[in-house]
Amino acid sequence: MSGTVFILNGPNLNLLGKRQPEIYGRETLKDVEENCTKLAAEHGLSIRFHQSNAEHQIIDWIHEARETAIGIIINPAAFTHTSVAILDALNTFEGPVLEVHISNVHKRESFRHHSYVSLRADGVMAGFGTQGYELALLRMIRLAGLQPVDV
Ligand code: CA2
């Protein structure tokens, strides 16, 4: 394996696939983890996949990633729109950061249009459903230098 990518998920995403399928689809977070694990392995990467409803836990994982990860993919969920603390933590991480939203936040309520995390993210996926995680991982594979990158 040539590196580890942290995939971090914020509050209520443990309910993925179990509630509001019209917004978030039918795949569970376990399904997303399995898909990402398989894709990462195909490219010689490993992943650490986590979800928490607690802001401090997400910050602690970002700190851990500083020591061990080549990149972070994060769906901060509602903390996207509120958390300066998660932004500050991400600003201490030196590798690529990709932000994922399952839904198209720009098509939803105006309070979802602003993201603190986007001030740090190198790229943002929104509205691609749970496939957005795999698309972000493919981008991470490029950024990690495992495939050529143009921009
Ligand atoms: O679209 C996304 O991925 C969001 O990050 C999801 C957050 C929301 O606050 C953001 O604005 C956009 C909410 C996550 C809640 O996840 C659930 C999943 C299934 C059922 C209920 C909640």
Side-chain angles (χ1 to χ4, degrees), residues 41-62:
E42 285 166 8
H43 293 270
L45 283 177
S46 63
I47 64 164
R48 292 272 311 277
F49 195 97
H50 294 300
Q51 185 275 333
S52 180
N53 296 326
E55 191 174 20
H56 70 87
Q57 177 62 80
I58 293 167
I59 293 165
D60 285 347
W61 283 326
I62 294 168

Side-chain angles (χ1 to χ4, degrees), residues 27 32 36 39 73 98-102 124-139:
E27 277 197 325
V32 175
C36 289
L39 180 62
I73 295 170
L98 301 178
E99 179 180 349
V100 171
H101 298 288
I102 298 164
V124 182
M125 302 288 311
F128 290 83
T130 49
Q131 189 188 7
Y133 288 85
E134 289 167 75
L135 296 172
L137 190 52
L138 284 172
R139 179 64 179 169

Side-chain angles (χ1 to χ4, degrees), residues 10-21 23-24 75-81 100-105 108 111-112 133:
N12 299 306
L13 284 166
N14 51 309
L15 297 177
L16 197 63
K18 299 169 185 167
R19 300 274 188 284
Q20 296 182 274
I23 302 177
Y24 299 114
N75 182 348
F79 292 147
T80 306
H81 318 296
V100 171
H101 298 288
I102 298 164
S103 64
N104 181 359
V105 283
R108 300 181 66 190
F111 66 83
R112 296 186 203 274
Y133 288 85

